[in-house]
Amino acid sequence: MLPAVILMGVFVSVLVEIGWGTDPASFMNLNIAAALGWGLGNTEVLVYGLMLVFTFVFGAEMIGFGTLANMILIGYVVDICRWLWARIGLAQLLSGGSLAFRLAAFAIALICFVFVAAVYINAQMGVAPYDAMPAIISGWLPKVPFFVVRIVFDLLAVAAGVVAGIFFAGGIHGSVVGSVLMSLLLGPVITLVGKPLKKLL
């Protein structure tokens, strides 16, 4: 679980530098961080801390070591990696390099992110607060398929990021279109990849 969480942060940092979209949670948190003038790590602890209260009240059984690892580590790993990428010149390549290089980096980072996210989920050591909320809400709406609840929740996160970017941060950080597409596609793909991992883990 722990290496998977750390690697999720590494691959998210690459996606952030490329600027073509990230997972909905990272998009929301990046724009809230910009609005607050904070790093992503501190912002994720705040946002996920609020979500953790909701999870504790309505779905405490979902909380485990993985919950805290996701909540605390990913944002700080992204901050550290972006600091490092800027100093070794990788940030400049990811944001302004050739299209072929950026496409290759984007594809590799996205595929690796999906894989390590599936490992994290199937380790079954607790659910991230962001992931717990739609699961809890889905339980309250038995007639609505979970994937619909999850997609709506992810789109609302992207909308929250857009609002934070427009009204508080002086501009949206990251691609809205890319993050919306990931809202629609990431969940099903991670589930598909996770099926063969489930038996192993």
Side-chain angles (χ1 to χ4, degrees):
M1 178 274 294
L2 198 56
V5 167
I6 292 170
L7 288 171
M8 284 169 70
V10 173
F11 297 128
V12 167
S13 73
V14 173
L15 294 174
V16 170
E17 294 294 351
I18 294 172
W20 291 346
T22 62
D23 62 286
S26 296
F27 178 84
M28 174 184 69
N29 289 325
L30 281 166
N31 281 282
I32 293 174
L36 295 174
W38 291 7
L40 183 61
N42 290 339
T43 303
E44 290 203 350
V45 169
L46 171 66
V47 173
Y48 291 163
L50 296 173
M51 292 182 175
L52 185 64
V53 173
F54 179 91
T55 304
F56 182 78
V57 172
F58 298 107
E61 70 280 358
M62 297 183 182
I63 298 173
F65 287 114
T67 306
L68 299 178
N70 185 294
M71 171 180 160
I72 295 169
L73 288 179
I74 290 181
Y76 290 116
V77 170
V78 172
D79 287 339
I80 291 168
C81 287
R82 294 189 70 194
W83 176 86
L84 180 62
W85 303 156
R87 276 149 186 79
I88 66 174
L90 182 59
Q92 291 82 351
L93 284 174
L94 292 171
S95 61
S98 69
L99 180 60
F101 175 81
R102 297 176 73 199
L103 278 171
F106 182 80
I108 292 169
L110 190 56
I111 291 168
C112 291
F113 175 82
V114 167
F115 177 78
V116 296
V119 170
Y120 163 75
I121 291 168
N122 285 286
Q124 296 183 359
M125 294 192 69
V127 179
Y130 179 90
D131 297 317
M133 287 188 66
I136 293 167
I137 294 168
S138 179
W140 297 342
L141 304 169
K143 294 184 179 180
V144 181
F146 171 73
F147 79 91
V148 174
V149 175
R150 179 59 194 246
I151 288 173
V152 171
F153 188 82
D154 284 341
L155 291 175
L156 287 174
V158 174
V162 170
V163 170
I166 292 175
F167 294 104
F168 302 106
I172 297 169
H173 295 254
S175 168
V176 177
V177 174
S179 297
V180 166
L181 289 174
M182 289 197 193
S183 299
L184 300 174
L185 298 175
L186 268 184
V189 173
I190 289 172
T191 300
L192 182 65
V193 172
K195 285 182 178 179
L197 289 172
K198 190 172 185 178
K199 293 180 181 179
L200 176 66
L201 297 173

